[in-house]
Amino acid sequence: MKERLKSGYVKMGITVFAAGAALIVLYEVIIHFNRVQEAWSVLSTILSPFIFGLVMAYLLCPVYNVTVRRMYRPAQKAFRTKKTALRFARVIGTVVSLIVLFGVIGGLFALVLPETLRSIIGLIQVMPDRFNDLIDWLERTFTAERNPEIAGAFESVVGRVRDAFMEWSENDLLPLIGVYMSQISQGVIVTLRTLLNILIGVIVCVYFLNSKETFKAQARKTILATMSKKRSDSFMEFAYFANRTFGGFINGKLIDSLIIGILCFILMSILKLPYTVLVSTIVGVTNFIPFFGPFIGAIPSAIIICFSSPIQAVYFLIMILGLQQFDGNILGPKILGETTGLASFWVMFAIIVGGGLFGFLGMVLGVPVFAMIYYYGSRYIENRLKKKKLPVETEAYQEYNQYDIDRKDIL
């Protein structure tokens, strides 16, 4: 029986069957994609506390590991056995990690949230006056004496907009108020459920931090039991590379975004620009998106500042341009280094594709995911070239004489 399974025909049959089954599953997924999305939404809702806990544990791993490493040696002198010393070091590492977690969250809420709310309230209060000023300016500019044709068209447009707004208020806005009231009550339930999920996530985070070595050993044991030595080594290499790529990128972007947010706050305070905390928070959060982040945060921030003073919005845009150049050319490379190893074109490609498929999360994680695909694709091509005894350097395939005058076959 074993000899039959080892024959080439049986292996080919199993491969063809697996490929056919995969194509059938892919076809069903594409045809019933809406159902797959609904099922995924339900599953992600159920698993959200565990996902939240694993994300927190992954981000807190450096703090936990450093604390355990620093406390383990002194604990060996205080306790008789290594097991007791390690347990004590893990308890201290867990406590320090939770203090860092709650300290960061509490600090953000205490420092950023009140000032952000005040900025939003002030922005809401000043918006009607700014809109009235805009309308007065338009009426003065497009008066019938100066521009009779433009004035008539402007009054016609304003009239249509006013009528459409009144019709929308009567037909759509008033009925929606009742719907919003019911949604508010549902929002309270969702908030309580979110708080419960956060509490469960913290518990999952603690368990994962203290059991990650056990999980790692169990995973390694399973891989070695189910794969050959060569394939298990390749799989473990892939796991280490993925951890290094994702960990380096996420932790580096966190530090980079924090520094950019603080620098934005300092520069805005020096320039005496309005809504300092609100705008700095927006710039810091959106800076987490590679390449496009500063521009995504600059556009709404400039609009917000423009309600207070258009000239200050211009100053802000100039400041953001300089800050983006500093981040892209000096700060970012110093912190991230060669974490991804991608050229700027592929970074832009990964952000656009990831954002189009998975939104904000895709824009953030698209770069490290594509970096892994690019790395293993490049390695596969290089191995194939080595087998054919061809050079692997890209420069060897570049044609420097393609712009000769006599050539007509250039692309």
Side-chain angles (χ1 to χ4, degrees):
M1 185 67 180
K2 292 183 179 179
E3 293 179 357
R4 291 182 179 178
L5 291 175
K6 291 181 180 179
S7 66
Y9 293 106
V10 174
K11 290 182 179 180
M12 184 183 296
I14 294 174
T15 303
V16 171
F17 175 78
L23 289 174
I24 293 172
V25 171
L26 179 61
Y27 173 79
E28 291 295 328
V29 168
I30 295 173
I31 294 298
H32 303 95
F33 189 69
N34 293 332
R35 294 183 181 179
V36 173
Q37 281 185 321
E38 292 176 0
W40 174 254
S41 178
V42 173
L43 182 63
S44 61
T45 302
I46 295 172
L47 296 178
S48 58
F50 295 93
I51 296 173
F52 182 71
L54 291 177
V55 170
M56 284 194 302
Y58 189 77
L59 295 177
L60 290 173
C61 256
V63 178
Y64 177 85
N65 291 337
V66 170
T67 307
V68 172
R69 195 178 298 115
R70 293 289 179 86
M71 295 301 301
Y72 179 63
R73 291 181 181 178
Q76 282 183 316
K77 300 178 181 179
F79 298 98
R80 296 181 179 179
T81 62
K82 293 183 178 181
K83 187 175 181 180
T84 306
L86 181 60
R87 188 179 302 167
F88 175 79
R90 285 177 174 176
V91 171
I92 301 300
T94 303
V95 172
V96 172
S97 300
L98 291 178
I99 290 174
V100 171
L101 174 64
F102 291 119
V104 170
I105 296 175
L108 289 175
F109 275 99
L111 297 176
V112 176
L113 188 61
E115 188 62 32
T116 303
L117 290 176
R118 281 194 292 268
S119 299
I120 293 174
I121 293 172
L123 182 63
I124 294 173
Q125 291 175 347
V126 79
M127 281 179 64
D129 295 335
R130 294 294 175 262
F131 278 120
N132 291 332
D133 294 340
L134 177 62
I135 293 173
D136 293 339
W137 177 81
L138 291 173
E139 289 178 350
R140 290 194 306 270
T141 303
F142 302 115
T143 56
E145 292 80 5
R146 294 183 179 180
N147 303 291
E149 295 180 357
I150 298 178
F154 174 71
E155 291 177 359
S156 176
V157 171
V158 170
R160 286 199 297 267
V161 171
R162 186 185 297 111
D163 294 339
F165 178 76
M166 294 299 296
E167 183 179 356
W168 174 78
S169 300
E170 294 176 358
N171 299 332
D172 297 331
L173 181 59
L174 293 176
L176 284 175
I177 292 176
V179 177
Y180 288 148
M181 293 301 294
S182 62
Q183 288 180 351
I184 290 173
S185 60
Q186 293 177 0
V188 175
I189 300 175
V190 172
T191 302
L192 294 176
R193 188 180 302 167
T194 303
L195 292 175
L196 179 61
N197 289 340
I198 292 174
L199 178 61
I200 298 174
V202 172
I203 297 173
V204 171
C205 173
V206 172
Y207 272 105
F208 184 80
L209 285 175
N210 289 277
S211 304
K212 57 187 179 67
E213 286 85 5
T214 303
F215 294 150
K216 180 180 177 181
Q218 291 173 343
R220 185 175 179 82
K221 183 173 68 173
T222 304
I223 292 169
L224 291 173
T226 56
M227 298 181 183
S228 63
K229 181 68 168 59
K230 182 179 180 181
R231 189 164 295 179
S232 62
D233 290 342
S234 300
F235 189 87
M236 293 303 296
E237 180 191 357
F238 170 78
Y240 285 120
F241 178 74
N243 177 57
R244 186 171 67 252
T245 302
F246 275 86
F249 179 79
I250 293 174
N251 292 327
K253 287 303 293 183
L254 281 173
I255 298 173
D256 179 66
S257 300
L258 179 63
I259 294 174
I260 290 298
I262 294 174
L263 287 177
C264 181
F265 175 82
I266 294 173
L267 292 175
M268 289 186 69
S269 300
I270 294 173
L271 296 174
K272 297 181 180 179
L273 299 178
Y275 311 114
T276 306
V277 176
L278 175 62
V279 172
S280 300
T281 303
I282 295 174
V283 171
V285 172
T286 55
N287 189 73
F288 204 85
I289 302 173
F291 198 81
F292 293 109
F295 303 104
I296 294 175
I299 294 172
S301 301
I303 295 173
I304 291 172
I305 296 175
C306 190
F307 283 111
S308 176
S309 173
I311 189 63
Q312 287 184 324
V314 175
Y315 294 155
F316 169 77
L317 290 175
I318 296 173
M319 183 202 76
I320 285 295
L321 181 61
L323 196 61
Q324 191 273 336
Q325 293 298 317
F326 168 74
D327 182 36
N329 297 316
I330 299 176
L331 182 63
K334 288 289 184 182
I335 296 176
L336 296 175
E338 296 296 329
T339 303
T340 60
L342 290 178
S344 299
F345 173 82
W346 294 117
V347 172
M348 183 173 60
F349 175 82
I351 294 168
I352 293 174
V353 174
L357 293 175
F358 303 104
F360 179 79
L361 187 62
M363 296 179 75
V364 174
L365 298 181
V367 174
V369 169
F370 189 80
M372 294 178 59
I373 297 173
Y374 186 87
Y375 171 77
Y376 281 98
S378 301
R379 198 169 75 168
Y380 171 77
I381 293 173
E382 290 178 0
N383 290 334
R384 297 286 296 180
L385 290 172
K386 288 179 181 178
K387 288 181 180 179
K388 295 181 179 182
K389 297 181 179 180
L390 294 173
V392 297
E393 295 80 9
T394 305
E395 289 78 7
Y397 300 91
Q398 290 179 345
E399 297 183 3
Y400 293 99
N401 60 342
Q402 62 174 337
Y403 295 105
D404 291 342
I405 298 176
D406 297 333
R407 293 194 60 181
K408 298 181 180 179
D409 59 338
I410 58 175
L411 182 62

